[in-house]
Every structure is written in C-alpha cells, then in structure tokens.
C-alpha cells in the first residue's frame, strides 16, 4: 500500500487526479470505477480541466460507478446519476454509452445487481477503482456488518450514513434507506484502487482502515489485503497514522 500525504484538500485533489490521469494516458480504453460524495469533487474538477486542455482524452474510457440510491431516478437531482453528470460526465468527451451506473429505480434488486456484475466482468474487470471513505469506514455503500458482502447487492444504509448524507437532501427523512452498491468482492477485484480521504473528521476512521485489524466492522480495512492500493489523503486525515506507515 502506497500512502501519499498531501498538504490540503486542493493538493489531495490534484495528486489523486494525477494518479487517474497517468492510468488514462497509459491505457486510453481504461475501465474506470468512480465514486460520489464530496471528496472526489476536486478530482473531477482537475480531470475536466485537463480534458479541456487536451491532456486527457476520455473518448474510449469506460466507467462503472460504485453505487446508487434505491428509488432515485436519473432526473432526481440527488441521484448519483445526476451528480456524476453534473460533476464530470457532461464536461468531458466521454461517450454516454460507455457510462455504467446502477439503476436506482429498477425494483428488481436481484436482476439489477447481477446485470451490473455481469457488465463489469464481460468487460474484463475494472482497471482502476476510485474510492471515498464513509465516517463509519464504509466503501461504496458497504456498511459495517458481520461479513464482507462479495458482489453487487442492495444495502440498508446505517443511521450515521443517512445523517452524514442528509446535507445533500435538506433533511434526514428525505435520504433513501437503501442503495445498490458494488460489493466488497467487486471492489477488491479491481486491478488498482485509489482511496481518497480528507479532513480531521475522517482521521480516526482512516487509522482503523490502514492500521486496525481487517474486519467487516470496518469495511475499508479489507483494502489491507489488496496488492495495489494507493491512498491519497491530506495531513488532517493522516494525523492519527503512525510515522512508520506514512
Ligand atoms: C457516500 C458514498 C461513498 C462515499 C461516502 C463519503 O456514502 N456512497 O462512496 O465515499 O459517501 O462521502 P464524502 O466524500 O462526502 O465524505
């Protein structure tokens, strides 16, 4: 595991975007796993800039997003579909047919999730998976449980996640209780993983992820078992990590 310490959010966003850019340049038809949440927003702003400057070409890039809220369709401004269009896709030269996202309004969870798994494996798997980190250690919407859910599935959101994400919805009551998410196994199959973390409020969680025991109560801790992980985090998020790990 490589840990890159950046001085602040802006620096973290640039460095993490540069990790993605290097992969896109080396493999123009990269299979890119993407994430939502506020942490990746700065990364996407850099990718947009470099695309506009002609440094990055997304015309052959294929993407798969980690997750989507159940019950929210494409036109819903709180859907991850909408987030991705606004924050990245509509500003770069990606082809919409190469964008893959879970359909939150398909009521058939089993069908939606198994089709998503198939679409990833039919493509040959994900080359680079971008991940944010939830305050409870979740990755995608894989919440702390008794086991590591392996494939794409429907997850029930923890109260703490609903509260954390309510800032995007105006009220706690408006946050969906369920989401479709790639499983831990789906994420671990990616050939390379880029975890991005910012802020003192995530420092304790990041310490548990990087230095604690690998356990399903801290879903992100599974990343210790992946052979190709890059963590780009700011000093605030890394302030509880021992010097040796950094
Ligand atoms: C949501 C997403 C996660 C994301 C997390 C953290 O729960 N499903 O993929 O990592 O939020 O979000 P933020 O970056 O806003 O703290």
């Amino acid at each position: 595991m490589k840990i890159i310490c950046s001085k602040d959010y802006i620096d973290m966003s640039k460095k993490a975007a540069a990790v993605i850019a290097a992969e896109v340049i080396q493999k123009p038809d990269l299979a890119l796993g993407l994430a939502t949440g506020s942490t990746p927003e700065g990364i996407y702003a850099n990718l947009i800039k470099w695309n506009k400057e002609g440094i990055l070409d997304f015309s052959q890039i294929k993407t798969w997003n980690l997750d989507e809220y159940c019950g929210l369709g494409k036109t819903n401004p709180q859907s991850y579909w909408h987030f991705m269009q606004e924050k990245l896709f509509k500003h770069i030269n990606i082809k919409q047919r190469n964008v893959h996202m879970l359909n939150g309004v398909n009521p058939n969870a089993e069908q939606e999730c198994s089709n998503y798994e198939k679409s990833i494996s039919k493509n040959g798997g994900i080359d680079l998976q971008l991940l944010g980190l939830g305050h409870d250690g979740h990755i995608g919407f894989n919440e702390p449980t008794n086991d590591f859910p392996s494939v794409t599935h429907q997850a029930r959101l923890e109260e703490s996640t609903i509260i954390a994400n309510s800032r995007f919805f105006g009220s706690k009551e408006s946050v969906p209780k369920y989401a479709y998410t790639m499983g831990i196994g789906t994420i671990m199959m990616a050939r390379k993983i880029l975890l991005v973390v910012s802020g003192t409020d995530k420092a304790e969680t990041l310490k548990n992820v990087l230095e604690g025991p690998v356990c399903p109560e801290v879903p992100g801790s599974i990343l210790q078992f992946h052979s190709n992980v890059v963590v780009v985090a700011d000093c605030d998020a890394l302030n509880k990590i021992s010097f040796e790990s950094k």
Side-chain angles (χ1 to χ4, degrees):
M1 190 175 289
K2 207 166 275 168
I3 302 176
I4 298 168
C5 183
S6 49
K7 61 174 191 289
D8 53 23
Y9 177 78
I10 293 173
D11 188 34
M12 182 212 75
S13 301
K14 271 195 199 135
K15 288 191 163 84
V19 172
I20 297 174
E23 300 292 324
V24 169
I25 290 166
Q26 289 176 88
K27 191 174 178 199
D29 62 346
L30 191 80
L32 187 55
L34 293 174
T36 51
S38 48
T39 313
E41 284 190 37
I43 298 174
Y44 295 153
N46 281 295
L47 296 181
I48 292 167
K49 182 169 176 279
W50 296 337
N51 180 237
K52 291 203 188 309
E53 290 171 357
I55 298 164
L56 292 181
D57 174 21
F58 290 91
S59 61
Q60 295 176 65
I61 298 292
K62 292 179 188 156
T63 67
W64 279 263
N65 257 80
L66 279 169
D67 44 21
E68 178 61 281
Y69 290 109
C70 290
L72 302 194
K74 289 180 180 181
T75 53
N76 190 309
Q78 265 82 39
S79 69
Y80 283 163
W81 169 273
H82 192 265
F83 175 99
M84 289 308 301
Q85 293 296 332
E86 293 301 313
K87 303 292 179 193
L88 182 65
F89 296 145
K90 79 175 192 192
H91 307 286
I92 59 174
N93 69 330
I94 196 162
K95 297 195 170 81
Q96 286 291 334
R97 67 164 185 273
N98 288 337
V99 167
H100 303 84
M101 292 197 65
L102 283 150
N103 175 10
V105 290
N106 183 354
N108 189 335
E110 221 179 286
Q111 179 201 62
E112 184 60 29
C113 296
S114 85
N115 284 348
Y116 203 65
E117 275 298 315
K118 277 185 212 142
S119 104
I120 295 171
S121 54
K122 214 173 96 192
N123 183 71
I126 287 175
D127 293 306
L128 174 64
Q129 178 66 55
L130 173 64
L131 291 181
L133 184 65
H135 287 95
D136 60 4
H138 73 247
I139 49 177
F141 267 128
N142 292 278
E143 298 280 27
T145 45
N146 304 325
D147 58 6
F148 289 112
S150 83
V151 292
T152 302
H153 62 285
Q154 187 178 44
R156 191 182 162 85
L157 306 191
E158 286 293 326
E159 181 73 4
S160 60
T161 301
I162 290 175
I163 292 168
N165 291 357
S166 64
R167 68 191 195 276
F168 298 112
F169 287 81
S171 77
K172 199 184 112 183
E173 288 65 39
S174 319
V175 184
K177 309 271 176 296
Y178 291 90
Y180 293 143
T181 179
M182 284 185 194
I184 293 288
T186 326
I187 293 169
M188 289 295 280
M189 289 285 283
R191 284 179 273 283
K192 182 171 183 155
I193 290 178
L194 171 61
L195 175 69
V196 291
V197 193
S198 169
T200 42
D201 55 319
K202 299 244 178 99
E204 188 66 41
T205 311
L206 186 58
K207 183 185 169 55
N208 293 336
V209 164
L210 301 181
E211 296 186 332
V214 175
C215 60
E217 289 79 14
V218 184
S221 64
I222 193 78
L223 298 175
Q224 293 179 35
F225 288 161
H226 194 286
S227 60
N228 194 5
V229 177
V230 181
V231 182
V232 183
D234 58 22
C235 303
D236 286 346
L238 285 167
N239 74 19
K240 289 198 156 58
I241 304 293
S242 60
F243 182 72
E244 295 77 50
S245 313
K246 278 193 254 178

